Amino acid sequence: MGNLSPALRHRARMLAERTAGAAEPLGVTTGSAYELMLYKLSDDRRRLKSIQSVERKIEVKATMLPTYAQWIDGVLAGGKGAQDDVVATLLVWHIDTGEYDRALVIAAYCMEHKFTLPDGYSRDIPTMMLDEFAAAYLQGKLGDDPQHAVAVLGAVEAMTAASDAPDQARAKLHKAIGLAMVAVLDLQDATDIAPALLGQAGAAMVQLQRARALSESVGVKKDIERLERRIKRAADSS
């Protein structure tokens, strides 16, 4: 569906919207259109399973995602919250392929309606989001623009704040947010902190300390010590 004409894309989106709108809240999505999407997803997953390289899997997922765009848009526009395994799976795929802003939009719908991930996934959606978004930053996949990274990771923090999740997963997210905040400070000066930015530095410290409080093994001790020294120098010079 990625190469459909505008008219056919509109038709596909409307079909998804009607299908999602016909399903009861807290129920399960049904209907022939949904069954076709499940079949397509199953076929795509079989193709991915035959690929051994993780890097190559991600590349192939990126080529597959546009064919699901109209389904997702229709569900988000017309859905009442019925479980949709296609949308839940594609949430993960959007994170895998670095489509973080789009993933947040999908995640907001899934979290609001308490979606579960399909069989084959061992984590719930809040834990998966904490793990995967934190890893995306800590592994450098979300690090090109630290200000954008802070916004994305902050959205994940807010979205998952009320959810039960392992302390280690939440600690990793706080670490990622703290380090992204430090990276924003580094855009101004990688050594010293201007007195006017002490508030931002303090906010980064809060995140790193929270990460350490949740999990000693999260590995932020040295980061805290470095930031403490920078904050002290800035405070002494103000």
Side-chain angles (χ1 to χ4, degrees):
M1 283 189 284
N3 296 319
L4 294 178
S5 68
L8 288 176
R9 285 199 299 271
H10 176 74
R11 181 181 177 185
R13 183 184 180 279
M14 290 298 100
L15 181 58
E17 188 171 333
R18 287 196 298 270
T19 300
E24 291 298 321
L26 303 179
V28 177
T29 304
T30 59
S32 58
Y34 179 60
E35 293 298 326
L36 284 172
M37 295 306 295
L38 283 174
Y39 180 83
K40 173 176 169 46
L41 181 63
S42 178
D43 192 50
D44 284 344
R45 291 182 72 176
R46 278 194 297 271
R47 180 184 171 196
L48 290 168
K49 193 173 182 179
S50 70
I51 301 171
Q52 297 186 61
S53 166
V54 174
E55 183 178 55
R56 178 60 181 152
K57 283 181 191 285
I58 291 172
E59 292 172 355
V60 173
K61 281 181 182 178
T63 68
M64 293 173 172
L65 283 181
T67 66
Y68 294 97
Q70 283 71 46
W71 182 264
I72 294 172
D73 288 344
V75 172
L76 296 182
K80 299 176 182 176
Q83 174 70 27
D84 184 319
D85 284 354
V86 175
V87 171
T89 300
L90 296 175
L91 165 60
V92 180
W93 288 17
H94 278 80
I95 300 172
D96 289 343
T97 58
E99 297 288 339
Y100 302 117
D101 292 330
R102 175 71 159 168
L104 287 176
V105 174
I106 300 169
Y109 180 85
C110 292
M111 292 282 292
E112 177 186 358
H113 299 294
K114 297 180 172 53
F115 272 29
T116 59
L117 290 173
D119 292 344
Y121 290 97
S122 59
R123 297 168 295 181
D124 58 20
I125 287 178
T127 302
M128 179 276 295
M129 290 180 62
L130 291 167
D131 281 337
E132 298 304 322
F133 277 95
Y137 183 79
L138 297 174
Q139 295 172 8
K141 300 174 185 176
L142 187 54
D144 291 344
D145 181 350
Q147 291 178 322
H148 179 242
V150 170
V152 169
L153 296 170
V156 174
E157 180 186 19
M159 203 176 294
T160 60
S163 302
D164 183 31
D167 289 343
Q168 180 67 20
R170 202 172 295 281
K172 286 191 294 184
L173 184 73
H174 284 293
K175 175 182 179 178
I177 295 173
L179 293 182
M181 288 179 167
V182 170
V184 172
L185 294 171
D186 290 346
L187 294 175
Q188 301 295 322
D189 190 322
T191 303
D192 295 320
I193 297 172
L197 298 178
L198 277 172
Q200 294 182 40
M205 180 65 77
V206 168
Q207 292 288 340
L208 294 174
Q209 289 174 335
R210 180 59 179 153
R212 188 177 184 187
L214 286 168
S215 174
E216 285 282 346
S217 65
V218 76
V220 293
K221 181 179 179 182
K222 295 295 184 183
D223 299 299
I224 289 174
E225 291 173 352
R226 281 192 292 269
L227 185 56
E228 282 177 338
R229 290 193 293 269
R230 292 175 70 182
I231 289 174
K232 185 176 186 305
R233 286 199 304 271
D236 289 345
S237 65
S238 62

